[in-house]
Amino acid sequence: MPDATTEERALVMGILNVTPDSFSDGGSWFETEQAIARGLEMIAEGADIVDVGGESTRPGAVVVPVGEELRRVVPVIEALSPRVRVSIDTTKEAVAEAAVAAGATLINDVSASLWPVAARRGVGWVAMHRAGMPATMQDDPHYDDVVAEVRELLAERAARAAAAGVEEVWIDPGIGFGKTVDHNLELLAGLDALVATGHPVVVGTSRKAFLGRLAAGPDGVPAPVNDRLPGSLATATWALQQGAGMVRVHDVAATVQAALLVGRPSDGPGVTGAMLDTEVGS
Ligand code: HH2
């Protein structure tokens, strides 16, 4: 009887921001040792990939010089990559190169422009859609048809990457990157259009601002970042149900548990004796 292994579920990418200013975990894992410890914890929680980033992409975030970004991410990648697959969350070619040399095998690229590095180094690539640059991207985003426009750009970049020889290309709608709350909801509702491109889809909703705004209290104040797990899990589960192959999350253990259940057949392979136990809470 197979047990609950990653073969039976979509992938969970754990977020590890080695930054002082990321919107959710900024400052928590800024020291190398803390970051490595958090990475090991995520591995224990079931993360399939640990996504290491050294520069926040939140609106208004400070641009980090290459040398400082390398100082933040390289030792963490070196420590974690023998134990788990590591992706590098960067938009800088030099950082992507150094991260791959340090052991990363996936370039998570919110600028959707670094496929030449992935081609050259023989690693995977995530192409994320964003409209505008972080400083201004939330000012007044506009699309005629957000799903069609995002799909078109991602399909075009993915085709270029494939033509350049990148064998593993993921596409990501870039929830919150130059999108209103409604745009984010439309993209989630229309995720099947991205899945239909045939490229594996990754989705990142974890703790994002739109979840806080949708869960605002009666006073209109958005739910704080650390109170967004229900919305994060609901949207991750939705994305997986629509066919996403991976979700990018802060709360790894909870998401792994959700991912194990999405699409699990009631009598198919992977149903263990414990799952058939009818005793409540056993
Ligand atoms: N979101 C963030 C950063 N990188 N990469 C992908 N592929 N998809 C995403 O949705 C995505 C991403 C923003 O979240 P976070 O890393 O938690 O915050 P910050 O950018 O402030 O470090």
Side-chain angles (χ1 to χ4, degrees):
M1 181 85 59
D3 63 357
T5 62
T6 51
E7 276 95 64
E8 297 171 30
R9 61 165 172 82
L11 301 179
V12 174
M13 173 187 264
I15 301 170
L16 185 54
N17 286 316
V18 193
T19 61
D21 58 345
S22 289
F23 82 91
S24 169
D25 56 350
S28 302
W29 330 115
F30 190 41
E31 298 303 324
T32 303
E33 292 311 313
Q34 290 171 327
I36 294 168
R38 176 61 189 144
L40 295 174
E41 192 174 50
M42 288 197 285
I43 295 169
E45 290 175 359
D48 302 288
I49 299 178
V50 173
D51 188 39
V52 178
E55 179 178 61
S56 172
T57 53
R58 70 181 167 75
V62 180
V63 174
V64 179
V66 172
E68 171 61 13
E69 198 173 327
L70 290 175
R71 190 195 65 73
R72 295 178 184 181
V73 299
V74 166
V76 178
I77 296 169
E78 283 173 346
L80 295 178
S81 58
R83 297 176 170 85
V84 70
R85 186 170 192 200
V86 172
S87 59
I88 174 66
D89 185 352
T90 191
T91 56
K92 298 191 186 79
E93 191 171 328
V95 175
E97 288 274 5
V100 172
T105 59
L106 184 64
I107 299 173
N108 177 24
D109 174 13
V110 306
S111 70
S113 64
L114 294 179
W115 74 87
V117 184
R120 202 159 53 235
R121 304 299 300 235
V123 296
W125 181 59
V126 177
M128 197 202 77
H129 178 280
R130 73 173 176 188
M133 298 302 281
T136 54
M137 67 188 179
Q138 289 307 110
D139 286 357
D140 186 21
H142 173 82
Y143 304 84
D144 291 326
D145 179 340
V146 67
V147 174
E149 288 169 46
V150 167
R151 183 194 56 212
E152 194 179 331
L153 179 127
L154 292 175
E156 181 254 327
R157 297 294 166 92
R160 285 213 236 173
V166 184
E167 285 176 12
E168 178 188 6
V169 179
W170 294 80
I171 59 173
D172 181 330
I175 298 296
F177 284 79
K179 282 120 190 162
T180 62
V181 171
D182 284 343
H183 292 144
N184 292 325
L185 294 176
E186 282 178 57
L187 283 165
L188 288 172
L191 218 50
D192 53 343
L194 263 57
V195 172
T197 64
H199 297 287
V201 173
V202 53
V203 177
T205 58
S206 187
R207 300 185 188 173
K208 284 190 175 170
F210 80 111
L211 298 175
R213 290 178 58 185
L214 289 168
D219 52 4
V221 176
V225 160
N226 287 326
D227 288 347
R228 298 177 188 166
L229 178 59
S232 303
L233 273 182
T235 48
T237 304
W238 165 261
L240 296 176
Q241 186 70 40
Q242 295 305 297
M246 178 155 67
V247 285
R248 180 182 181 274
V249 303
H250 300 87
D251 299 285
V252 170
T255 312
V256 166
Q257 190 176 108
L260 276 166
L261 295 168
V262 174
R264 182 185 280 272
S266 60
D267 58 354
V271 175
T272 65
M275 292 181 75
L276 299 172
D277 196 328
T278 53
E279 198 180 320
V280 176
S282 63

